Amino acid sequence: MSGFLPDQSGAEVRVSPNFGPRRETLRPDMIVLHYTGMATGAGAEAWLCDPTSEVSSHYLVHEDGRIVQMVRESDRAWHAGKSSWFGRTDINSCSVGIEIVNPGHLLGYKAFPKRQIDAVIGLCAGIAGRHSIPPQRVLAHSDVAPGRKVDPGEKFPWKALYAAGVGHLVPAAPIRPGAALKTGDTGTGVEALQSMLALYGYGVEISGVFDRQTQIVVAAFQRHFRRRQIDGVADGSTICTLERLLAAVKATSPK
Ligand SMILES: [Zn+2]
């Protein structure tokens, strides 16, 4: 394929060979945000278009706000890997993937420039509008692949997105000393915590045992929604923030 018209007006097109048809569903109903985790944006762009990499995303957003589309929104890009949300595991088939240029945690994680974030906001708003994607389905790679991925990471300004009408957020509850659920704990409190995480979409087994997977998912939740302390311990602030989040989804969901 030599090219296509961009789905997002203003985007440049550089076609990646790494895509296929969406399975089971024809339309995306989720947006997954990533950081590139490579030294340069140009390097990341080349890698996502390299047939040997076998990875791609629908869009790449450079630090200067330039948007490059590599896979059509109607096609299935290869960005999410082994993932899960609401029990669904083929996230590539139901999502649009956006790679945001940032060296990431291993190469000097840094703040995302405002121009870049403004471009991400406009892009997400466009995609959500074209496919009627609800705010709570604009997610981090770390939300759908907890333990395996941490991107776009705790410096990603979800607040700025939310202020512009993109994504779902509630104010994090303040951290105070008190009881907490942690690795090794068992019982109804742990079961309730796991149920609430699963109710929001996270891939966690409701076992009543605070196991390694629970700790990993609590940390993923904190990385997005309660960033002050990312430790995998479900303290009062974490649980309260999760409750607020679920209440906010309920309040906005159509009956
Ligand atoms: Zn990623």
Side-chain angles (χ1 to χ4, degrees):
M1 198 193 311
S2 60
F4 52 77
L5 289 174
D7 290 297
Q8 177 84 11
S9 73
E12 299 166 25
V13 171
R14 176 169 174 182
V15 179
S16 170
N18 306 328
F19 70 94
R22 291 186 183 274
R23 302 167 186 155
E24 293 171 30
T25 178
L26 293 174
R27 291 181 82 77
D29 67 356
M30 180 191 282
I31 298 172
V32 178
L33 302 181
H34 305 258
Y35 66 45
T36 50
M38 290 178 67
T40 68
E45 189 178 319
W47 180 244
L48 292 163
C49 292
D50 182 338
T52 66
S53 76
E54 299 191 338
V55 293
S56 64
S57 61
H58 294 88
Y59 294 98
L60 176 77
V61 181
H62 284 282
E63 287 172 318
D64 62 4
R66 212 155 41 82
I67 299 172
V68 180
Q69 182 167 10
M70 305 170 159
V71 175
R72 288 176 302 189
E73 290 176 7
S74 56
D75 284 322
R76 180 178 180 274
W78 305 342
H79 58 95
K82 190 178 182 304
S83 314
S84 156
W85 197 251
F86 277 117
R88 188 155 191 181
T89 52
D90 185 4
I91 297 300
N92 282 339
S93 273
C94 65
S95 65
V96 172
I98 302 175
E99 287 281 357
I100 303 161
V101 172
N102 189 297
H105 289 84
L106 299 178
L107 295 174
Y109 190 38
K110 56 184 185 187
F112 295 85
K114 186 178 182 301
R115 271 200 295 184
Q116 186 182 33
I117 292 306
D118 286 346
V120 170
I121 288 169
L123 178 57
C124 287
I127 296 163
R130 283 191 285 284
H131 304 287
S132 306
I133 297 174
Q136 68 271 20
R137 292 183 67 85
V138 180
L139 295 161
H141 197 192
S142 55
D143 290 319
V144 300
R148 209 170 61 75
K149 295 291 175 182
V150 295
D151 62 311
E154 63 282 353
K155 289 185 181 176
F156 188 73
W158 292 104
K159 248 189 200 170
L161 272 70
Y162 184 69
V166 172
H168 186 221
L169 208 62
V170 292
I175 297 175
R176 296 201 182 92
L181 295 169
K182 56 189 183 312
T183 303
D185 289 350
T186 58
T188 51
V190 176
E191 205 175 306
L193 168 69
Q194 291 168 331
S195 301
M196 288 195 294
L197 287 166
L199 203 56
Y200 196 72
Y202 285 96
V204 64
E205 198 192 330
I206 301 161
S207 62
V209 180
F210 201 117
D211 54 9
R212 170 112 183 98
Q213 182 60 20
T214 306
Q215 186 208 333
I216 282 170
V217 170
V218 168
F221 171 82
Q222 291 170 333
R223 198 176 293 285
H224 187 158
F225 297 106
R226 211 293 307 272
R227 298 133 65 102
R228 199 170 294 265
Q229 199 172 312
I230 302 165
D231 56 6
V233 173
D235 57 6
S237 154
T238 300
I239 293 170
C240 179
T241 305
L242 177 54
E243 286 169 347
R244 286 179 183 177
L245 204 58
L246 286 166
V249 174
K250 232 180 191 169
T252 55
S253 291
K255 292 282 174 311

